[in-house]
């Protein structure tokens, strides 16, 4: 029987239960329920005394609200993902795998902001002050007036932040913070939630911008507490493929800006360098394009990014053919394979399929469908696409190639990088004023695109519906 006021929080998903059990009923994790003491059972609210009852002040939708002021840190890629800088009084959670470069990024953000006169603090619960300082020296940031501290006790941190006026503080990481008001161990959901709650309250009450670093579990969720994602104003994921220097900061939630914006960085000896024009970063322009490769003209946030999609189709040695995909959604690959089979007669039932997005980029745009299909067909027929050709278009289950957003922007960027042809849902006059530099190879149906590749027919023309 549960004690009065006791709840059991799952350390894996954050769901709370009123009684203990060996397996979390919400997420199925074993041995993850840990007792949490609350002063009042959840949901119960004390009735307000008559004297203190105030009416809720309602407002209209059309009242003009000034845009929030922003703390511009000077790290442009970071500021862009924030929506133009960090909003004072907001809380941001930055998640990423261990070693991806979260501490490096946020030290650079804090240092750059401090150099511009922002009162910035960096509190590390993972490294000693000497270690952080040593890294700052190596990155050439030693002169930046960032206030450093190594601390994990929440009470000391909150007191410290109240005693000195700050504009921006980095907490690295939220999993190491620990409040003596709770009995649970550091890193538990209870502690992480308590620490995040306390710091978010401090942010709101003092107009201080708080950036929380969060580790990510194997499954890709920010470790332990999904709840923290709901408490903060913005959640960014810092991603990078092992073995590649590129790092991408991607907005997953942002109350003060768009979430499709990305920031691109390159990890080097002196920390992270900003990549201001990433369009050609993921493109290998050396040598001939091999069979099985297609250049996708993509859009990430507000910027065009060209990236090579590589496919390999090979006879399968086993009964169940393999499907392996890196940088793209495996469900999407299954769909494209099914459409190729059902609508174009190109079967993969006895063949292994490997699909790779070059450079360690992850793409999620449906516009990449046609590029993936073109790479697959190119490998299956062993016919290389022209060196100067980009591909884009969304594929429907009926086998149509659908127009995608910002086709002009994609063509313009491709033209700038020397491409002269485009395979996609294009009319003969696609590209408008750009028509001469980019010749459209328009396709209305996926079968048309597959036929073009099989015949190696690269003549320009508009699509037929
Ligand atoms: P770090 O910021 O400590 O990662 P996180 O906080 O996400 O765990 O970065 C760790 C990696 O970055 C480490 O493997 C070394 C590399 N690195 C560089 O390559 N160059 C640099 O200048 C720095 C500071 C780190
Ligand atoms: Mg770190």
């Amino acid at each position: 029987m549960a004690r009065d006021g006791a709840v059991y929080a799952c350390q894996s998903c954050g769901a709370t239960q009123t009684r203990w059990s060996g397996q979390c009923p919400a997420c199925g994790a074993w041995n993850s329920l840990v007792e949490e003491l609350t002063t009042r059972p959840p949901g119960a609210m004390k009735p307000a005394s008559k004297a203190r009852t105030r009416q809720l002040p309602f407002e209209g939708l059309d009242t003009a609200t000034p845009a929030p002021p922003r703390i511009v840190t000077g790290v442009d890629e970071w500021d862009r993902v924030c929506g133009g800088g960090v909003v004072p009084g907001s809380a941001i959670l930055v998640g990423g795998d261990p070693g991806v470069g979260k501490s490096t990024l946020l030290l650079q953000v804090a240092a750059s902001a401090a150099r511009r006169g922002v009162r910035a603090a960096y509190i590390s619960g993972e490294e000693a002050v000497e270690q952080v300082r040593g890294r700052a020296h190596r990155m050439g940031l030693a002169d930046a007036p960032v206030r450093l501290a190594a601390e994990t006790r929440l009470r000391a941190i909150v007191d410290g932040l109240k005693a000195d006026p700050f504009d921006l503080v980095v907490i690295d990481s939220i999993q190491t913070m620990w409040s003596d008001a709770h009995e649970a161990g550091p890193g538990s959901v209870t502690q992480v939630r308590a620490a995040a709650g306390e710091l978010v309250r401090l942010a709101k009450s003092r107009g201080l911008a708080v950036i929380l670093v969060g580790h990510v579990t194997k499954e890709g969720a920010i470790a332990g507490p999904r709840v923290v994602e709901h408490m903060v104003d913005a959640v960014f994921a810092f991603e990078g493929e092992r073995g590649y220097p590129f790092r991408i900061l991607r907005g997953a939630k942002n109350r003060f800006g768009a979430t499709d914006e990305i920031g691109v960085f390159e990890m080097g000896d002196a920390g992270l360098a900003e990549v201001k024009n990433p369009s050609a970063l993921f493109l290998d322009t050396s040598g001939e394009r091999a069979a099985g490769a297609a250049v996708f003209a993509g859009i990430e946030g507000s910027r065009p990014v060209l990236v090579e999609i590589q496919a390999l189709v090979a006879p399968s040695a086993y009964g169940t053919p393999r499907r392996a995909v890196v940088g793209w959604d495996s469900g999407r690959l299954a769909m494209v394979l099914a459409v190729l089979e059902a609508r174009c007669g190109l079967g993969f039932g006895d063949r292994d399929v490997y699909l790779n997005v070059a450079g360690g980029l992850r793409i999620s745009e449906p516009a990449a469908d046609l590029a993936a299909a073109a790479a697959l067909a190119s490998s299956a027929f062993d016919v290389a696409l022209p060196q100067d050709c980009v591909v884009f278009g969304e594929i429907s289950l009926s086998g149509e190639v659908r127009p995608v957003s910002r086709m002009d922007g994609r063509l313009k960027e491709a033209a700038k990088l020397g491409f002269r042809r485009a395979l996609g849902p294009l009319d003969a006059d696609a590209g408008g004023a750009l028509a001469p530099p980019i010749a459209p190879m328009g396709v209305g149906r996926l079968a048309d695109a597959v036929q073009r590749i099989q015949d190696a027919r690269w003549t320009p023309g508009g699509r037929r519906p």
Side-chain angles (χ1 to χ4, degrees):
M1 175 68 207
R3 271 188 286 150
D4 194 29
V7 295
Y8 298 88
C10 173
Q11 304 298 296
S12 169
C13 70
T16 53
Q17 313 294 337
T18 50
R19 57 182 69 224
W20 189 87
S21 62
Q23 186 181 22
C24 170
C27 72
W30 285 96
N31 292 326
S32 61
L33 293 192
V34 170
E35 181 178 343
E36 267 183 10
L37 287 172
T38 58
T39 43
R40 228 171 287 135
M45 232 196 283
K46 252 202 319 210
S49 67
K50 274 272 155 47
R52 286 181 50 213
T53 312
R54 261 192 296 154
Q55 273 203 329
L56 192 57
F58 285 103
E59 291 191 30
L61 281 174
D62 59 346
T63 317
T65 316
R70 303 267 181 177
I71 301 171
V72 176
T73 67
V75 178
D76 296 343
E77 297 291 301
W78 165 271
D79 289 337
R80 164 151 7 84
V81 176
C82 289
V86 183
V87 175
S90 71
I92 299 172
L93 178 66
V94 179
D97 290 325
V100 73
K102 301 181 294 297
S103 303
T104 309
L105 171 68
L106 293 171
L107 187 58
Q108 278 178 249
V109 166
S112 174
R115 279 188 179 144
R116 308 172 116 243
V118 175
R119 293 166 298 183
Y122 182 98
I123 300 173
S124 177
E126 311 211 320
E127 294 163 301
V129 167
E130 293 74 41
Q131 274 175 294
V132 180
R133 204 185 281 134
R135 178 185 292 169
H137 271 274
R138 265 184 289 122
M139 295 181 351
L141 304 174
D143 62 311
V146 179
R147 309 278 303 277
L148 281 185
E151 185 57 79
T152 59
R153 290 171 303 150
L154 191 62
R155 193 180 293 266
I157 292 171
V158 170
D159 290 346
L161 292 174
K162 280 183 179 160
D164 268 330
F166 284 109
D167 304 310
L168 180 101
V169 56
V170 176
I171 306 285
D172 186 4
S173 65
I174 188 69
Q175 276 96 355
T176 55
M177 296 302 145
W178 169 80
S179 153
D180 56 14
H182 297 269
E183 280 176 33
S188 62
V189 167
T190 312
Q191 286 290 359
V192 171
R193 187 162 45 188
E198 190 72 34
L199 290 164
V200 170
R201 260 195 304 281
L202 186 75
K204 303 277 177 247
S205 66
R206 308 220 130 210
L208 164 73
V210 172
I211 304 172
L212 306 173
V213 175
H215 294 296
V216 159
T217 59
K218 288 193 294 294
E219 295 79 36
I222 291 180
R226 275 255 111 106
V227 271
V228 176
E229 297 189 16
H230 301 301
M231 289 174 173
V232 295
D233 300 298
V235 179
F236 302 155
F238 200 41
E239 307 170 345
E241 208 54 55
R242 213 167 275 281
Y244 292 102
F246 311 118
R247 300 286 181 267
I248 292 169
L249 186 71
R250 206 183 274 280
K253 159 182 173 176
N254 194 348
R255 287 189 184 144
F256 303 110
T259 49
D260 59 354
E261 208 52 87
I262 63 165
V264 184
F265 299 86
E266 189 170 354
M267 181 66 93
D269 291 336
L272 291 158
E274 294 182 63
V275 179
K276 308 265 183 194
N277 182 9
S279 62
L281 188 66
F282 303 99
L283 205 58
D284 182 9
T285 44
S286 62
E288 284 287 294
R289 191 129 356 256
V295 175
F296 168 51
I299 300 271
E300 290 283 352
S302 58
R303 292 180 297 181
V305 175
L306 272 67
V307 60
E308 189 177 85
I309 296 187
Q310 304 158 349
L312 178 64
V313 177
S316 179
Y318 304 102
T320 313
R322 280 204 61 161
R323 270 91 181 92
V325 46
V326 177
W328 204 45
D329 181 36
S330 55
R332 205 87 201 165
L333 172 65
M335 187 204 88
V336 168
L337 290 175
V339 177
L340 281 169
E341 178 139 16
R343 311 286 175 199
C344 313
L346 189 55
F348 294 89
D350 52 356
R351 294 193 265 189
D352 289 342
V353 172
Y354 302 89
L355 194 89
N356 178 40
V357 178
L361 189 69
R362 261 205 77 82
I363 45 184
S364 51
E365 265 193 289
D369 290 353
L370 186 64
L376 290 163
S378 159
S379 177
F381 298 133
D382 198 23
V383 173
L385 291 166
Q387 176 82 357
D388 61 355
C389 174
V390 294
V391 187
F392 55 82
E394 182 177 348
I395 296 173
S396 72
L397 288 177
S398 59
E400 274 171 80
V401 178
R402 297 252 174 89
V404 295
S405 64
R406 300 182 52 195
M407 298 210 284
D408 281 357
R410 296 172 201 264
L411 292 175
K412 210 177 274 176
E413 192 66 24
K416 212 161 80 188
L417 293 170
F419 289 86
R420 291 294 171 262
R421 282 177 250 228
L423 180 68
L426 300 164
D427 297 321
D429 61 349
L434 278 162
I438 294 256
M441 303 193 293
V443 285
R445 308 192 60 80
L446 182 57
D448 302 344
V450 169
Q451 199 60 54
R452 267 183 178 276
I453 295 168
Q454 188 170 18
D455 302 344
R457 182 162 45 83
W458 314 124
T459 48
R463 71 185 158 139
R464 283 188 302 274

